[in-house]
Amino acid sequence: MADTSVRTPGEKCPTCGQPSPSKESKTETGRFKAGLEDVVAGTSSVCLVDGIEGRLLYRGYNIVDLAEQSTFSEVAYLLWYGRLPGKKEFAQFDKTFRSYVELPEETGMILRLFPRAATPMEVLRTAVSSLGHYDPDSGNTAHDASLRKAMRLTARIGSIVTAHERLRQGLEPIKPVPGESIAYNFLYTLKGEKPEPLFVKILDLCLILHADHEWNASTFAARVTAATMSDMYSSVTSAIGTLKGPLHGGANEAVMKVLLEIGEVGKAKEWVKDALARKVKIPGFGHRVYKTEDPRATVLRKYAEQLGKHTGQSKWYEISRLVDQEMLEYTQREGKKIYPNVDFYSASVYYTMGIPTQLFTPIFAVSRISGWTAHILEQWENNRLIRPRAEYTGPLRLPYVPIDQRG
Ligand SMILES: CC(C)(COP(=O)(O)OP(=O)(O)OC[C@H]1O[C@@H](n2cnc3c(N)ncnc32)[C@H](O)[C@@H]1OP(=O)(O)O)[C@@H](O)C(=O)NCCC(=O)NCCS
């Protein structure tokens, strides 16, 4: 009988040459971290996530300042160019950026071919990939061309989401207005009517808050693809596929399901107590990096309240606030404080604006595309193939038996 054992204790690992700590060691051996937790995989000047202080900086600027005073378009510039623009150069940039919002006709046609059951994130993945065929800079790998591709992608991705949503509802897509912002056009092409200025402002703010978050899973996926010197569209398609997973981009939709399930302000606290007693993980809470409140949640809480008052629909904000308070009080009593993350208040904000729940994760992509492309550009500035190793845990000395001698 062949020895199919993984490795005997002390035997050298065929990957790293170090002795195996024990025969049972199939998970963490000290040479790697499951899920690469806290592993620093490279350097970047795009974004700092300070989990201890609860700070998030884009290119050195605090997102609280950017959310209050900047625009998504200016933040995209900041992420791509590494600095804030001067007035004149921003006016020129913004005009060009806004002019890219319309989809190529062919992508509009592709959107009509998807089956009804196709989810918005699946459609986004395929449609974004298709955009690469119609980009005039396709195949041009110069830095300037890559910047133009980043601008076109970022301007167009929202147009894909809303056009497909209208088709799903049996409605004709609406052409975006080239001179308007991404947030304006998202709401306009979704509903077919001029959006309220406060909705545009708050959606723009949400796009700022979601624009980048260091080497999260989708950004890492984009960088891995870019590091093979594949193209920008392929890199972004990898990122969208990664964001789609419920452990990454899907939490904001799950938050809204919870709020709808609670349904009434008076039921919020009891719901939380019951869920926590049953050890249920409540979506929109907790974070791998932040040990205090996610600064994006702090900003969004304020605007969720403002939006609730403005629309006369404070219920979703009020339920959210009570869940938030109860969660902190309950977990504090247990000796751990669990705070809301960015997904928590974004759910009630989007819902109050009348955005369908299934578009919450795609909106994440509408914003994060700016960060993905900034990271792809950074990867190409000083590229090295990203190719880690795996500690081999399979059998070692299996004798090959030809197929005609097997049962
Ligand atoms: C974000 C998340 C995946 C981080 O996971 P993590 O770093 O592995 O943290 P853990 O799951 O080990 O949580 C640590 C402790 O806090 C508790 N906890 C964390 N998030 C919680 C939540 N959302 N609801 C209730 N308890 C939670 C865990 O039960 C655990 O308690 P224990 O030590 O008594 O077992 C996790 O907090 C989560 O699943 N949150 C809900 C989904 C979500 O909002 N995702 C979007 C993130 S931006």
Side-chain angles (χ1 to χ4, degrees):
M1 185 74 183
D3 171 15
T4 62
S5 67
V6 174
R7 248 180 296 150
T8 51
E11 188 175 358
K12 279 185 179 172
C13 166
T15 309
C16 64
Q18 291 189 40
S20 175
S22 81
K23 195 173 177 179
E24 289 75 36
S25 175
K26 288 186 182 174
T27 54
E28 299 204 22
T29 63
R31 287 191 290 277
F32 75 95
K33 285 274 198 94
L36 300 183
E37 182 174 352
D38 286 334
V39 169
V40 175
T43 60
S44 174
S45 65
V46 181
C47 173
L48 170 75
V49 182
D50 178 349
I52 306 299
E53 296 290 324
R55 271 189 318 158
L56 173 58
L57 310 183
Y58 297 162
R59 302 282 192 187
Y61 294 95
N62 195 310
I63 54 111
V64 178
D65 296 329
L66 294 172
E68 298 286 354
Q69 297 172 62
S70 185
T71 58
F72 177 60
S73 180
E74 192 190 32
V75 165
Y77 184 105
L78 172 67
L79 293 172
W80 293 330
Y81 290 88
R83 61 175 176 83
L84 285 174
K87 244 189 200 170
K88 263 195 189 159
E89 59 184 341
F90 180 64
Q92 183 55 43
F93 164 86
D94 199 33
K95 192 168 166 224
T96 311
F97 187 34
R98 289 172 185 224
S99 74
Y100 288 144
V101 68
E102 220 174 293
L103 293 177
E105 210 181 313
E106 294 85 346
T107 300
M109 283 154 65
I110 289 169
L111 291 177
R112 294 175 188 272
L113 302 177
F114 293 111
R116 274 199 84 78
T119 66
M121 282 303 282
E122 288 165 348
V123 166
L124 191 61
R125 181 196 60 213
T126 309
V128 163
S129 178
S130 86
L131 284 178
H133 300 294
Y134 312 111
D135 192 313
D137 284 308
S138 181
N140 184 350
T141 55
H143 184 73
D144 277 7
S146 297
L147 270 167
R148 286 192 295 272
K149 281 184 251 191
M151 285 168 77
R152 288 190 192 108
L153 265 160
T154 307
R156 286 174 184 166
I157 193 165
S159 304
I160 293 176
V161 175
T162 56
H164 175 249
E165 179 58 23
R166 286 185 70 85
L167 289 169
R168 254 160 71 98
Q169 293 175 12
L171 300 167
E172 270 305 295
I174 291 173
K175 275 198 186 306
V177 187
E180 294 290 353
S181 69
I182 297 201
Y184 179 101
N185 270 318
F186 187 90
L187 295 168
Y188 172 67
T189 55
L190 181 65
K191 304 273 182 193
E193 55 195 43
K194 215 175 155 188
E196 284 204 42
L198 183 68
F199 286 17
V200 176
K201 177 187 163 12
I202 294 182
L203 184 58
D204 195 76
L205 179 137
C206 291
L207 299 181
I208 293 174
L209 294 177
H210 286 82
D212 198 42
H213 214 231
E214 202 215 49
W215 286 25
N216 58 90
S218 55
T219 302
F220 192 59
R223 290 190 77 129
V224 170
T225 305
T228 69
M229 294 312 287
S230 183
D231 66 294
M232 185 171 276
Y233 284 90
S234 301
S235 306
V236 168
T237 304
S238 299
I240 294 174
T242 310
L243 183 74
K244 176 176 166 285
L247 293 188
H248 188 5
N252 50 14
E253 290 188 37
V255 171
M256 201 57 230
K257 285 188 187 128
V258 163
L259 298 180
L260 290 167
E261 191 187 317
I262 295 172
E264 288 171 32
V265 174
K267 291 185 178 165
K269 290 205 167 196
E270 276 316 301
W271 189 95
V272 176
K273 279 190 192 118
D274 179 61
L276 290 177
R278 289 185 288 113
K279 302 272 173 223
V280 169
K281 273 209 175 158
I282 302 181
F285 284 90
H287 200 275
R288 177 62 66 78
V289 181
Y290 293 115
K291 305 299 170 213
T292 179
E293 184 163 275
D294 179 336
R296 301 166 299 176
T298 318
V299 176
L300 273 173
R301 185 189 285 115
K302 179 174 137 191
Y303 286 94
E305 183 177 16
Q306 189 184 339
L307 193 62
K309 282 186 184 147
H310 176 81
T311 56
Q313 289 183 55
S314 289
K315 179 168 130 176
W316 304 112
Y317 166 75
E318 284 169 24
I319 295 178
S320 306
R321 189 75 189 106
L322 288 170
V323 170
D324 180 358
Q325 281 167 354
E326 185 58 31
M327 186 77 179
L328 191 60
E329 279 169 29
Y330 189 109
T331 54
Q332 205 163 6
R333 283 197 296 274
E334 288 196 328
K336 52 181 176 191
K337 289 185 187 171
I338 300 186
Y339 298 95
N341 57 50
V342 68
D343 293 310
F344 189 63
Y345 284 99
S346 60
S348 62
V349 164
Y350 297 153
Y351 196 79
T352 307
M353 285 186 198
I355 297 173
T357 314
Q358 66 272 14
L359 300 193
F360 290 8
T361 309
I363 292 180
F364 198 148
V366 171
S367 163
R368 188 57 60 85
I369 180 95
S370 57
W372 290 333
T373 46
H375 280 273
I376 294 165
L377 293 168
E378 186 182 58
Q379 184 65 38
W380 286 337
E381 269 167 28
N382 188 18
N383 189 56
R384 186 140 196 254
L385 182 76
I386 299 173
R387 201 296 187 196
R389 298 296 311 272
E391 184 179 329
Y392 180 70
T393 58
L396 287 172
R397 286 168 280 274
L398 294 179
Y400 180 78
V401 179
I403 194 157
D404 56 3
Q405 293 171 30
R406 281 178 244 153

